[in-house]
């Protein structure tokens, strides 16, 4: 079989039910063979994260953008695999990733570690563990199919074609009779194209592809030059755009130092998003020297303009005493401001500091009733232990959906912490059932960070019933902070007379 066709068949053979997960969120929404994608999608994908890939070699495009622009995702080409920088990194939020492209023949196997990490093992002994985001199960299944398909193809190519079985006597006699009477059909062989015609067709195809690529590159270069010219002229938005292009490597070679220079130009002109990026880069040491004091200064400038994420980091730095003197009251105030703007991370942080550090609030903990539902003993035990350390009064445990529904009916817990993965079902379906039967219950989903998007529809449907998401690996402060948030929501509803 043709190599490109072999890869396409292997990738498209992986269905939702094949990836080892029941929830649909682990399977990409847009998986298409190259012929079904638009030319712009292909151009964008190549320009964004696969500059060495030829369009005619692409077998399947997995588009992970909301608008199907092709700028983020995976490319399964004839000989190798490409992914944009943010999809397969050494750790969550880090920028180093597995070398691209991933050449199929060099791979020995691809394994999944936990729910979030893929281990790429090479035949030469190299090994990379990368944070795979939400689609780890999908990629493991796809690479398994590709490796199996290539191994099978090699075996088939090494075998001699089996002799055809002898035809039945009746069939032979009928064929001889037909031949004698002149009635037998003799298929006409298709005349091969002249060598010079084949050359012309290939040359035309190559020139067409080269022209399309040249036009795409010219378009990106023109846009880059336009943005840089406007930025040099003093436009802060263009300076920010230039910084983003250099940070992401979109249309230009990735260069974090240049990204910081452009961000700083925009930040000095009061651009809040650029100020936040300057703070982040000073905080992490990306493209500039690591400097917590400068980081706090930039975060604060953006926070004073209402930038929610910057407000959260101001709260964190005051809490930890990083880049600024520790101050619990100022930390809570910044967390509160960020929380009011919908910054979820600030929600539990604010309530954690407000409730668990206040002696008056701690007296109410004994009256709280919380149920923990998880089929994994380690997960359940970690959460229960954290709740006990926090002084929660009554804690119930459930290992599956049936136990959870039974105890919700009998014990009436005010808050339920439910694992996204349950034996025989998933936490999202069980959450729906609890919400429908006991609408006053507050729910928090316990899950891998990469699955956070899966709660979106339920959150939209039930609104304030959701106290938040507790990401794995589990941390005591996040568990207790989320429970505190749940009870804060209950108080608000009780004060308004809705619960």
């Amino acid at each position: 079989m043709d190599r490109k066709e072999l890869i396409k068949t292997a990738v498209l053979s992986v269905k939702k039910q094949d990836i080892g997960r029941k929830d649909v969120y682990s399977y990409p929404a847009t998986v298409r063979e190259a012929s079904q994608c638009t030319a712009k999608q292909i151009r964008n994908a190549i320009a964004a994260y696969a500059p060495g890939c030829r369009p005619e070699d692409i077998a399947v495009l997995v588009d992970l953008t909301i608008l199907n622009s092709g700028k983020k995702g995976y490319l399964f080409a004839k000989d190798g695999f490409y992914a944009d920088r943010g999809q397969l990194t050494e750790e969550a939020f880090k920028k180093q990733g597995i070398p691209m492209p991933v050449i199929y023949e060099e791979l020995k196997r691809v394994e999944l570690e936990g729910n979030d990490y893929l281990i790429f093992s090479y035949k030469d002994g190299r090994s990379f563990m990368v944070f795979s985001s939400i689609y780890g199960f999908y990629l493991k299944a796809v690479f398994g199919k590709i490796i199996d398909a290539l191994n099978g193809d090699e075996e088939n190519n090494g075998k001699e074609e089996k002799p055809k079985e002898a035809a039945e006597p009746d069939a032979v006699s009928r064929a001889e009779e037909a031949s004698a009477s002149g009635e037998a059909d003799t298929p006409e062989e298709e005349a091969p194209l002249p060598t010079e015609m084949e050359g012309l067709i290939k040359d035309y195809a190559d020139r067409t592809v080269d022209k399309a690529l040249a036009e795409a590159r010219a378009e990106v270069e023109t846009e880059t030059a336009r943005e840089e010219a406007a930025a040099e002229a003093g436009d802060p938005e263009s300076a920010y755009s230039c910084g983003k292009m250099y940070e992401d490597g979109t249309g230009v070679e990735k260069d974090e130092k240049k990204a910081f220079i452009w961000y700083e130009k925009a930040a000095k002109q009061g651009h809040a998003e650029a100020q936040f990026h300057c703070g982040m880069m000073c905080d992490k040491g990306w493209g500039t020297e690591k400097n917590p004091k400068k980081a706090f200064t930039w975060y604060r400038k953006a926070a004073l303009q209402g930038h929610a994420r910057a407000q959260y980091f101001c709260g964190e730095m005051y809490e930890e005493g990083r880049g600024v003197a520790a101050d619990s009251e100022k930390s809570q105030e910044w967390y509160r401001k960020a929380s009011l703007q919908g910054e979820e991370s600030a929600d539990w942080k604010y309530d954690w500091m407000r409730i668990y550090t206040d002696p008056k609030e701690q007296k109410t903990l004994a009256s709280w009733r919380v149920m923990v539902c998880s089929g994994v003993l380690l997960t359940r035990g970690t959460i229960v232990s954290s709740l006990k350390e926090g002084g929660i009064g009554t804690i119930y445990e459930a290992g599956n959906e049936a136990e959870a529904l039974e105890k919700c009916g009998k014990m009436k817990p005010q808050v339920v912490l439910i694992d996204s993965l349950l034996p025989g079902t998933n936490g999202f379906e069980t959450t729906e059932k609890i919400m429908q039967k006991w609408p006053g219950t507050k729910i928090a989903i316990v899950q891998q960070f990469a699955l956070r998007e899966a709660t979106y529809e339920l959150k939209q449907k039930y609104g304030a019933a959701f106290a938040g998401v507790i990401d794995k690996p589990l941390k005591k402060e996040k568990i207790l902070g989320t429970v505190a948030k749940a009870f804060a929501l209950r108080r608000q509803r009780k004060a308004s007379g809705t619960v």
Side-chain angles (χ1 to χ4, degrees):
M1 183 185 293
D2 174 74
R3 168 58 70 87
K4 179 177 171 181
E5 189 67 24
L6 188 75
I7 299 301
K8 182 184 80 173
T9 302
V11 175
L12 297 181
S13 70
V14 176
K15 307 299 180 185
K16 292 177 184 177
Q17 61 268 25
D18 299 330
I19 63 175
R21 289 292 293 273
K22 186 171 182 180
D23 59 272
V24 299
Y25 303 99
S26 300
Y27 190 89
T30 305
V31 180
R32 295 185 183 137
E33 59 179 276
S35 61
Q36 296 175 337
C37 299
T38 65
K40 187 174 183 179
Q41 270 183 300
I42 297 294
R43 287 200 307 270
N44 285 344
I46 291 175
Y49 59 89
C53 183
R54 299 189 306 172
E56 64 268 27
D57 289 341
I58 298 172
V60 175
L61 169 65
V62 177
D63 194 336
L64 300 180
T65 62
I66 296 174
L67 300 177
N68 287 329
S69 68
K71 293 181 179 180
K72 290 185 179 181
Y74 311 129
L75 273 182
F76 292 93
K78 182 172 69 174
D79 296 313
F81 164 83
Y82 300 80
D84 72 272
R85 188 191 64 192
Q87 299 305 318
L88 295 174
T89 54
E90 289 179 0
E91 293 181 23
F93 307 116
K94 275 197 173 182
K95 301 189 177 185
Q96 297 82 9
I98 187 170
M100 294 291 171
V102 176
I103 306 302
Y104 306 129
E105 275 83 359
E106 295 179 357
L107 284 177
K108 185 177 181 181
R109 61 181 174 272
V110 177
E111 301 168 299
L112 194 65
E113 177 75 15
N115 289 338
D116 286 335
Y117 289 87
L118 282 171
I119 300 175
F120 286 80
S121 299
Y122 285 74
K123 293 176 182 177
D124 62 6
R126 289 179 297 153
S127 181
F128 294 90
M129 177 182 281
V130 293
F131 182 73
S132 60
S133 185
I134 189 173
Y135 302 115
F137 284 82
Y138 168 75
L139 289 175
K140 175 183 179 293
V142 170
F143 277 109
K145 292 279 189 180
I146 290 174
I147 292 171
D148 288 345
L150 291 175
N151 289 339
D153 193 46
E154 288 177 4
E155 291 175 6
N156 290 335
N157 288 338
K159 293 178 181 177
E160 293 183 5
E161 189 176 349
K162 294 181 180 180
K164 296 180 180 179
E165 295 181 4
E168 296 179 4
D170 289 346
V172 173
S173 60
R174 285 197 297 271
E176 290 174 349
E177 290 175 5
S179 177
S181 62
E183 295 176 359
D185 292 328
T186 304
E188 294 183 4
E189 292 186 4
E190 186 176 342
L193 285 171
T195 303
E196 61 272 16
M197 183 62 75
E198 287 183 346
L200 287 171
I201 292 173
K202 185 179 183 304
D203 181 59
Y204 175 77
D206 289 343
R207 283 189 289 108
T208 302
V209 170
D210 290 343
K211 182 180 178 182
L213 282 173
E215 289 175 352
R217 291 192 193 99
E219 184 180 340
V220 171
E221 289 170 3
T222 300
E223 182 64 26
T224 303
R226 189 183 297 118
E227 290 286 5
E228 289 189 350
E232 292 287 4
D235 178 29
E237 188 62 42
S238 293
Y240 167 74
S241 296
C242 287
K244 195 81 175 101
M245 286 190 295
Y246 277 108
E247 183 182 15
D248 294 341
T250 304
V252 294
E253 186 175 349
K254 190 180 86 169
D255 189 326
E256 290 181 346
K257 289 184 178 180
K258 287 185 179 180
F260 181 77
I261 291 171
W262 284 115
Y263 280 143
E264 193 173 41
K265 286 183 179 182
K268 287 179 178 178
Q269 296 181 73
H271 194 288
E273 190 67 30
Q275 290 169 345
F276 170 72
H277 278 269
C278 282
M280 180 67 75
M281 297 182 86
C282 289
D283 199 3
K284 304 295 184 182
W286 295 340
T288 187
E289 182 182 356
K290 189 172 184 177
N291 190 322
K293 288 185 178 180
K294 283 187 178 181
F296 175 76
T297 299
W298 285 121
Y299 282 145
R300 189 173 183 277
K301 287 178 181 291
L304 290 172
Q305 294 196 67
H307 193 289
R309 194 67 180 153
Q311 291 172 341
Y312 169 80
F313 278 110
C314 281
E316 187 178 80
M317 296 187 88
Y318 270 120
E319 180 187 2
E320 298 175 359
R322 192 175 81 251
V324 67
D327 190 318
S328 179
E329 289 186 6
K330 288 182 179 179
S331 176
Q332 286 188 56
E333 181 58 22
W334 281 117
Y335 282 144
R336 185 187 69 82
K337 289 179 178 180
S339 176
L340 290 173
Q341 293 200 82
E343 182 62 40
E344 290 186 10
S345 299
D347 278 352
W348 69 266
K349 279 278 194 176
Y350 172 64
D351 288 302
W352 154 258
M353 297 187 72
R354 185 174 59 83
I355 293 177
Y356 293 96
T357 59
D358 185 342
K360 294 180 181 178
E361 291 284 0
Q362 289 175 13
K363 293 179 181 179
T364 67
L365 300 180
S367 65
W368 291 4
R369 301 188 307 278
V370 179
M371 184 173 75
V372 181
C373 181
S374 174
V376 182
L377 287 175
L378 180 60
T379 298
R380 203 162 73 235
T382 301
I383 297 173
V384 169
S385 176
S386 297
L387 295 176
K388 287 180 178 178
E389 287 183 38
I392 305 299
T394 307
I395 305 167
Y396 307 110
E397 295 184 50
N400 53 50
E401 181 182 278
E403 288 182 16
L405 296 176
E406 180 185 357
K407 291 185 178 181
C408 276
K410 291 181 179 179
M411 312 302 183
K412 300 294 190 296
Q414 297 144 314
V415 178
V416 175
L417 308 183
I418 187 166
D419 203 326
S420 60
L421 298 176
L422 289 177
T425 181
N426 63 58
F428 305 110
E429 293 176 359
T430 306
T431 295
E432 288 264 20
K433 294 175 183 178
I434 293 173
M435 290 289 92
Q436 290 166 7
K437 291 187 177 182
W438 302 281
T441 308
K442 293 291 179 288
I443 297 284
I445 299 290
V446 181
Q447 62 185 26
Q448 298 295 331
F449 179 86
L451 294 176
R452 179 180 285 268
E453 296 175 18
T455 62
Y456 180 76
E457 290 182 12
L458 287 175
K459 186 173 181 180
Q460 292 296 306
K461 187 173 182 179
Y462 294 107
F466 264 95
V469 176
I470 301 175
D471 300 317
K472 298 176 183 177
L474 300 169
K475 295 182 180 179
K476 182 183 74 172
E477 293 80 3
K478 180 61 185 289
I479 294 167
L480 293 174
T482 303
V483 172
K485 178 63 181 177
F487 279 94
L489 290 170
R490 283 186 61 83
R491 278 185 184 174
Q492 293 171 11
R493 295 191 66 187
K494 191 172 182 180
S496 64
T498 57
V499 82

